[in-house]
Amino acid sequence: MAFGVRILAMPVALAVVLVLGGGSVSAARAEPPVAYPIAAAQSSNPFSALVGKRRERRPTRGGRIKIERYVLASDDRAFLFEQRQNEARVKFLCSPSDQRIDCLLDEAGPAPEIYLLRQTRGPRGDLIYKNAQGDTLLRIASYGGATVFWPGEAQGLAASKSFGDDSALRLIPVGRETALRRARAATATISAITGAPIIFDLGVTPPDDTDATVLADAVMRAAKGLRNVADDPTGARIIAGRIERVTFLPGEAPGVRLNEAVLEIHYVPNLDIAGRPSSVAISRLLEEAL
């Protein structure tokens, strides 16, 4: 009988050695080894093998992305909030009467900005979400209520959770024609606001069958950044006298630069919203440089 026990125990020891030997598997994806009870292997019960059989599970790939819809208490405006492992995102949806430029510029449909947020914790346990420039866009209280700072409004607005089946906050894939259409519309709109011709120049555009998602979104953010500054008559006059062209340049890092009379928008293709400067970053540069 002792000889039989040693034989049955050998696969267990071998299995443990094989599991522990897989040093190349990353700690984030590897599941803890499951030890098979020796008592189950020695049992004479024919059903014990079924009870103790390990169930195969699919490896997990991080936490699930959670999308929440909020509605303002004062009206029917809504925004989407997305919490990821290391970041958060918010998107202020366009309403029928919305006059924001990213809701009106593209005749094919609205393209409201998706903001990348950083999370901090407030003194009462509230979660505070800020953009890269340090502006607070959203505060979620410990009891679940929310205060949002809607684009263009100085005061915080109360909001509550609603229901919706919304997809992840990523840029919708578009092609070269969308980027060109938005560039033409931005040229006409910003020129009309400032009273001087300001050309949105895409430079060497990608072929018709090439993805231009980040480029097209960069055009919208540049138009919005310029519009934010030109809303003030003094800002509009300064922009008209200083900027003649807005050019878009692919590169290794997103950014914005004022090169004499040219506003350069640097973008990284295929990097989603992290591949272009935000409208706030563009506005801040203009406010400081002009």
Side-chain angles (χ1 to χ4, degrees):
M1 183 64 180
F3 179 74
V5 171
R6 286 197 300 270
I7 292 177
L8 291 173
M10 286 178 63
V12 177
L14 180 59
V16 174
V17 171
L18 290 176
V19 171
L20 296 179
S24 62
V25 180
S26 63
R29 297 182 59 185
E31 297 183 2
V34 179
Y36 292 89
I38 296 180
Q42 294 175 331
S43 174
S44 59
N45 186 346
F47 296 100
S48 62
L50 297 177
V51 175
K53 185 177 181 180
R54 180 185 179 186
R55 295 184 61 186
E56 295 295 333
R57 294 184 298 174
R58 296 180 179 179
T60 59
R61 297 187 177 182
R64 180 184 177 185
I65 296 176
K66 186 178 182 181
I67 314 296
E68 295 177 329
R69 175 181 285 260
Y70 286 82
V71 176
L72 300 190
S74 57
D75 51 58
D76 60 351
R77 285 179 292 176
F79 66 91
L80 302 179
F81 174 70
E82 176 183 299
Q83 181 70 60
R84 299 192 177 200
Q85 185 175 5
N86 299 318
E87 67 178 40
R89 300 181 177 196
V90 66
K91 180 178 181 180
F92 301 98
L93 301 179
C94 295
S95 62
S97 59
D98 209 319
Q99 295 301 305
R100 287 178 292 160
I101 190 170
D102 43 359
C103 296
L104 302 174
L105 185 66
D106 192 345
E107 62 183 12
E113 184 168 1
I114 301 173
Y115 295 85
L116 189 62
L117 306 178
R118 300 174 180 176
Q119 174 185 303
T120 59
R121 187 170 292 276
R124 296 177 299 178
D126 297 353
L127 295 177
I128 302 173
Y129 296 91
K130 301 182 178 183
N131 60 19
Q133 289 71 36
D135 304 320
T136 298
L137 297 188
L138 179 65
R139 178 192 293 266
I140 299 180
S142 56
Y143 59 84
T147 302
V148 62
F149 294 84
W150 197 270
E153 299 191 20
Q155 300 297 324
L157 304 172
S160 59
K161 286 185 181 180
S162 181
F163 300 96
D165 186 16
D166 301 291
S167 57
L169 300 187
R170 295 181 57 86
L171 298 179
I172 299 175
V174 296
R176 174 176 176 269
E177 181 54 39
T178 298
L180 290 171
R181 183 178 65 248
R182 292 179 179 179
R184 290 192 294 266
T187 296
T189 301
I190 300 302
S191 297
I193 292 173
T194 59
I198 298 178
I199 308 301
F200 278 64
D201 180 12
L202 299 186
V204 180
T205 57
D208 292 338
D209 58 348
T210 302
D211 179 84
T213 302
V214 177
L215 172 58
D217 194 65
V219 174
M220 296 293 290
R221 303 318 133 214
K224 185 177 180 179
L226 284 163
R227 171 66 183 271
N228 290 341
V229 179
D231 271 347
D232 176 79
T234 301
R237 184 175 64 255
I238 294 176
I239 289 176
R242 288 288 308 275
I243 298 177
E244 299 176 358
R245 184 176 300 271
V246 181
T247 185
F248 297 84
L249 304 171
E252 297 181 354
V256 54
R257 176 174 177 243
L258 187 59
N259 184 9
E260 297 183 350
V262 178
L263 181 64
E264 297 179 354
I265 306 297
H266 298 262
Y267 69 97
V268 184
N270 305 321
L271 203 56
D272 198 52
I273 65 172
R276 47 73 174 158
S278 67
S279 63
V280 177
I282 296 170
S283 297
R284 294 289 169 84
L285 175 82
L286 294 173
E287 292 169 348
E288 295 171 359
L290 297 178

